[in-house]
Amino acid sequence: ASTWDTTLSTVPSLLSTSRLSEAVSALATLESGARALHKMPGKKERDTTLLDLRQKIEVLLKPQLLHALEKMDTRLGPLQQCVVMYAKLGKMEGLMKEYVRQRPGQVHREWFAYNP
């Protein structure tokens, strides 16, 4: 229970784009703690907290993913970081959907920009 409280208290400072990876790791720690505390009082509040935190992280993560997908032809590092975070969140399907949605636009731009 004390680990839950300690980790939860650090989360607000992690909710920025520069510390998003740490926020995802903190969320994983909290989810693990919530599973360990599932029979203890306060389950509903913990579940609500986790859902709220997960949604905040996903909102912050999406612009990073879009930026990484746009710059994928020159830098793979940001995309790899996004993949790791989406995997930790269990949201690989969302990442794949965004990848599929983004790629046709990029391919079309390159196709029509080609000038032999």
Side-chain angles (χ1 to χ4, degrees):
S2 66
T3 302
W4 168 271
D5 294 334
T6 303
T7 304
L8 188 59
S9 68
T10 65
V11 169
S13 66
L14 300 176
L15 290 177
S16 70
T17 55
S18 63
R19 301 189 70 192
L20 206 46
S21 180
E22 294 172 66
V24 171
S25 294
L27 176 62
T29 301
L30 288 171
E31 288 175 335
S32 175
R35 285 190 296 276
L37 297 170
H38 75 282
K39 291 187 178 182
M40 300 297 291
K43 180 183 182 327
K44 189 173 186 174
E45 292 82 12
R46 285 189 297 275
D47 290 345
T48 301
T49 299
L50 288 172
L51 181 62
D52 181 52
L53 180 56
R54 180 175 277 278
Q55 289 172 341
K56 287 178 181 177
I57 289 173
E58 288 176 16
V59 165
L60 290 170
L61 186 53
K62 187 162 184 175
Q64 283 191 358
L65 173 62
L66 294 176
H67 178 74
L69 288 171
E70 287 175 12
K71 303 297 181 193
M72 194 169 67
D73 55 338
T74 58
R75 295 184 57 219
L76 286 179
L79 182 59
Q80 290 171 333
Q81 292 171 349
C82 287
V83 168
V84 168
M85 288 188 279
Y86 270 85
K88 283 184 180 179
L89 291 171
K91 294 289 187 175
M92 287 302 290
E93 184 177 319
L95 180 139
M96 288 185 278
K97 283 182 182 178
E98 202 57 55
Y99 173 82
V100 168
R101 190 177 332 175
Q102 186 81 11
R103 293 311 295 161
Q106 181 69 23
V107 170
H108 284 121
R109 282 191 294 279
E110 290 180 20
W111 177 270
F112 291 113
Y114 178 72
N115 189 3

